[in-house]
Amino acid sequence: MKITRCLLVLSLSLTLGACAKKDEPGGEGTATGGFNAGLTEVVNPSAAAGGTLKLASAHDVDSWDPTRSYVTAVYNLQRLYTRTLLTPDAKPGADGLKLVPDLAAAAPQISADGLTYTFKLRGGVKFEDGSPVTSKDVRQGIERLFAQEELSGGPTYLIDQLDQGQNYPGPWADRSGLRSITTPDDTTIAFKLAAPFADFPYLLAMGVAAPVPAAKDTGAKYGDKPVSSGPYRFESIELGKKAVLVRNDQWDRATDTVRRALPDRIELVIGTDPNEIDQQLLDGDLDADAGQGGVQTGTQPKVLLDAALKARTDEPTTGFTQYAAMSTKVPPFDDVHCRRAVQYAIDKTSVQTARGGPDAGGDIAGSMLPPGIPGHDSALDPFQTKSGKPQPAKAKEELAACGKPDGFETVIATTDSPKASKTAEAIQAALAAVGIKARVEASDPSLYARSVVGSPSNVHSKGYGLIMGAWSADFPTGYGFYPTLVDGRLILPSGNNNYAELSDTAINALIDRARGTTDPAEGAKLWSQVDAAVMASATMLPLTYDKVLNYRNPRLTNVFVNQYYGMWDVTAMGVS
């Protein structure tokens, strides 16, 4: 997980939020509804506060601890109870892709050499207990990320940028702190980079940069009830069952130019069957699916063929690439020809159908880097798969080349959600047609990424040859999409996202070159080369560029797709 986007900008825009109504979500570009109205407009604009926003999810979150989560839908929810120095603006259209000051009073001061970023904090921001949010709390939130043995699971970009050879183990093991961060007073925090990195501000908009008061930091247990710095605080968390957020009476609207915070109460019921979620949505008993993964295959025709129901739906391109990684450490996928055999064998049309068809399932993918990310090349399709048709003859040639002319046996790892299971079964059927016998093993999504397929040792012991995944850019650049997936230097013993365990010196060198450039055009070219090199390795099997069909309860107000996440912005939602 991850963070999704559709239309992306080539340069970072940092602007001060304004207090005028036209700058508030719902203050302009309004619409009363209609199919896909929420992609570019605010549906049912309203300033009315009060009521209970009712959400449901089939599965639990990976973590409420902002340091440990790596799921897009959770990132969206996090902004209800956490704030960061910068945050995506809560607006529809391209404006939602811009970063604006949040905890910060203004955009950072950047030194002439591009190495030092200095922020002044906004005054009056408090935690739920009334204590002020200080630069030390922001520092604590970032430094705890470095305690990876205890707090794994979240994105580690800040470790890459700020450790700089210190091998910092986290604030509990080393109280001296990171040398790359200084907090000369309670309202100032400065970051010193080892080399210019144009994407650095995006890292400070992620949950891993949220403030955490050291006195309330319970380490691995912090996710049981994190301390709020946002407009809502947790009234209760029942793992796997329910989470309830209520107003944080220490939040001051005057200090927050982004969040509308309209409902008095937000209830999330966890563990609801996906088909039951659909029915509750249509009956009006539920306001939205918290995961925003789209209505189920059986519900799609009912919604799309009824004009009134269709008018209450949005079909965003999420920014996710649905894919399968082939583990280079699990035979026979240590042989490139066996990996190529799978590439040619897959019936991508059946995969697309399993995911909901061209409308709700997405477009067939020829490469990993999704449309909209600078560097995407629509012509890149080395295995000629965009037609959607399998190529069994070529698959059998590759099987012979890898010494498995009669096929082989393997295991497909996936989550137990209906759409993911159907996708895995479509792959299973296509592989069987060329003699590859694949067994599908499904796991709970809340455990899947961190401990099931995020643990290389578990992948090896279970013999997971194909690992189903979905990935989007953590921020709108090629660097925001690719390194965590394919950089061999970022393979972790737990919470690992390089499922293929791909470690290629040429690919790593291309990533370094792309990361180091400050020229957007040159960067796009280099990320295109990374994409081509990854596809040449045949370790990654791109399936579709994701779309989902989400249904909105007509009582929802201020509904729009925030393109930064590829989903409705929950911080703006209200209920009539």
Side-chain angles (χ1 to χ4, degrees):
M1 189 146 348
K2 308 250 312 98
I3 298 204
T4 68
R5 304 156 185 90
C6 310
L7 303 175
L8 302 175
V9 291
L10 289 176
S11 61
L12 174 66
S13 176
L14 285 168
T15 58
L16 278 171
C19 296
K21 286 187 176 180
K22 69 182 181 64
D23 288 321
E24 295 179 352
E28 59 184 356
T30 57
T32 57
F35 177 61
N36 273 343
L39 299 188
T40 56
E41 305 286 345
V42 178
V43 177
N44 295 334
S46 173
T52 298
L53 176 65
K54 297 180 179 180
L55 306 174
S57 174
H59 300 282
D60 205 353
V61 302
D62 58 342
S63 179
W64 289 116
D65 184 336
T67 299
R68 306 194 70 182
S69 178
Y70 215 155
V71 175
T72 306
V74 184
Y75 279 15
N76 193 13
L77 293 168
Q78 274 177 8
R79 296 203 307 158
L80 295 168
Y81 63 93
T82 64
R83 298 181 66 176
T84 46
L85 290 170
L86 305 169
T87 194
D89 208 354
K91 291 181 180 178
D95 286 342
L97 292 168
K98 299 176 182 178
L99 293 183
V100 295
D102 187 6
L103 287 178
Q109 292 183 341
I110 306 174
S111 61
D113 60 6
L115 297 180
T116 303
Y117 290 71
T118 303
F119 291 87
K120 282 287 187 180
L121 268 60
R122 194 186 299 268
V125 183
K126 299 177 182 179
F127 288 112
E128 63 181 84
D129 63 0
S131 60
V133 175
T134 70
S135 58
K136 277 56 169 197
D137 301 314
V138 176
R139 180 171 186 159
Q140 173 74 15
I142 292 173
E143 289 184 341
R144 69 197 302 271
L145 170 67
F146 287 69
Q148 279 292 296
E149 289 189 6
E150 187 172 4
L151 300 178
S152 65
T156 57
Y157 298 106
L158 281 170
I159 295 178
D160 303 335
Q161 292 298 317
L162 298 177
D163 189 68
Q164 301 170 14
Q166 184 177 346
N167 295 318
Y168 181 63
W172 301 292
D174 183 352
R175 294 186 181 277
S176 65
L178 277 166
R179 292 191 290 268
S180 55
I181 302 179
T182 54
T183 50
D185 56 56
D186 283 350
T187 63
T188 306
I189 186 167
F191 304 89
K192 181 66 177 291
L193 306 184
F197 178 52
D199 290 348
F200 184 67
Y202 289 109
L203 310 187
L204 301 177
M206 304 178 82
V208 293
V212 174
K216 301 289 182 68
D217 191 348
T218 53
K221 294 183 178 181
Y222 187 71
D224 293 347
K225 198 170 184 181
V227 180
S228 172
S229 56
Y232 296 91
R233 62 175 177 83
F234 283 102
E235 179 182 83
S236 62
I237 297 176
E238 298 177 68
L239 295 179
K241 295 181 179 179
K242 191 174 184 178
V244 177
L245 294 106
V246 294
R247 289 195 180 277
N248 173 13
D249 61 8
Q250 297 299 316
W251 175 75
D252 185 350
R253 188 178 298 276
T255 71
D256 194 335
T257 61
V258 177
R259 298 161 184 81
R260 294 301 296 270
L262 296 177
D264 289 333
R265 183 180 180 90
I266 300 171
E267 296 181 353
L268 169 61
V269 177
I270 298 164
T272 308
D273 179 83
N275 292 300
E276 177 62 22
I277 290 177
D278 288 357
Q279 191 58 54
Q280 289 184 28
L281 286 169
L282 295 177
D283 289 344
D285 297 328
L286 189 66
D287 295 316
D289 175 2
Q292 297 189 40
V295 298
Q296 302 305 300
T297 304
T299 308
Q300 290 165 10
K302 183 176 182 178
V303 171
L304 292 172
L305 296 175
D306 184 313
L309 296 179
K310 183 177 180 179
R312 300 170 189 165
T313 62
D314 291 317
E315 190 180 76
T317 299
T318 67
F320 273 91
T321 299
Q322 297 288 336
Y323 72 97
M326 287 174 263
S327 175
T328 59
K329 304 299 183 183
V330 175
F333 292 116
D334 51 351
D335 188 307
V336 67
H337 293 287
C338 285
R339 302 196 296 266
R340 288 175 181 168
V342 171
Q343 298 276 356
Y344 285 122
I346 300 304
D347 182 340
K348 289 190 178 179
T349 297
S350 68
V351 169
Q352 182 187 52
T353 300
R355 299 202 59 77
D359 286 328
D363 300 323
I364 290 173
S367 64
M368 287 295 293
L369 198 63
I373 297 286
H376 169 78
D377 180 358
S378 60
L380 182 59
D381 182 23
F383 299 102
Q384 298 86 48
T385 61
K386 281 194 173 181
S387 69
K389 298 177 181 178
Q391 302 166 75
K394 289 186 176 180
K396 289 178 179 178
E397 288 178 10
E398 294 293 346
L399 284 172
C402 77
K404 303 286 184 181
D406 299 322
F408 54 85
E409 295 184 5
T410 191
V411 181
I412 301 174
T414 187
T415 66
D416 59 10
S417 66
K419 188 178 287 189
S421 295
K422 289 180 179 178
T423 303
E425 289 165 4
I427 292 175
Q428 180 186 42
L431 294 178
V434 297
I436 301 174
K437 298 178 181 179
R439 176 172 58 84
V440 176
E441 186 170 309
S443 304
D444 187 317
S446 64
L447 303 173
Y448 184 75
R450 182 177 302 152
S451 58
V452 178
V453 297
S455 167
S457 62
N458 190 60
V459 168
H460 305 162
S461 65
K462 295 292 183 66
Y464 294 151
L466 282 89
I467 300 170
M468 305 298 297
W471 200 254
S472 67
D474 286 323
F475 41 90
T477 68
Y479 187 76
F481 182 85
Y482 245 140
T484 307
L485 280 183
V486 301
D487 190 328
R489 298 161 294 187
L490 302 181
I491 297 172
L492 301 172
S494 64
N496 177 54
N497 289 286
N498 184 344
Y499 299 150
E501 293 183 72
L502 177 61
S503 186
D504 184 292
T505 55
I507 291 174
N508 293 348
L510 277 171
I511 289 172
D512 289 343
R513 287 178 59 198
R515 177 176 54 193
T517 183
T518 57
D519 178 359
E522 178 63 20
K525 290 179 182 178
L526 288 168
W527 289 116
S528 185
Q529 291 176 35
V530 171
D531 201 24
V534 169
M535 291 305 301
S537 76
T539 54
M540 309 293 275
L541 171 63
L543 299 169
T544 59
Y545 301 128
D546 219 16
K547 289 182 183 178
V548 293
L549 181 68
N550 282 316
Y551 180 87
R552 39 183 153 78
N553 187 325
R555 83 179 192 124
L556 277 177
T557 63
N558 294 315
V559 188
F560 61 88
V561 173
N562 189 317
Q563 291 186 9
Y564 203 94
Y565 300 99
M567 55 177 54
W568 296 323
D569 193 322
V570 72
T571 69
M573 283 182 179
V575 290
S576 60

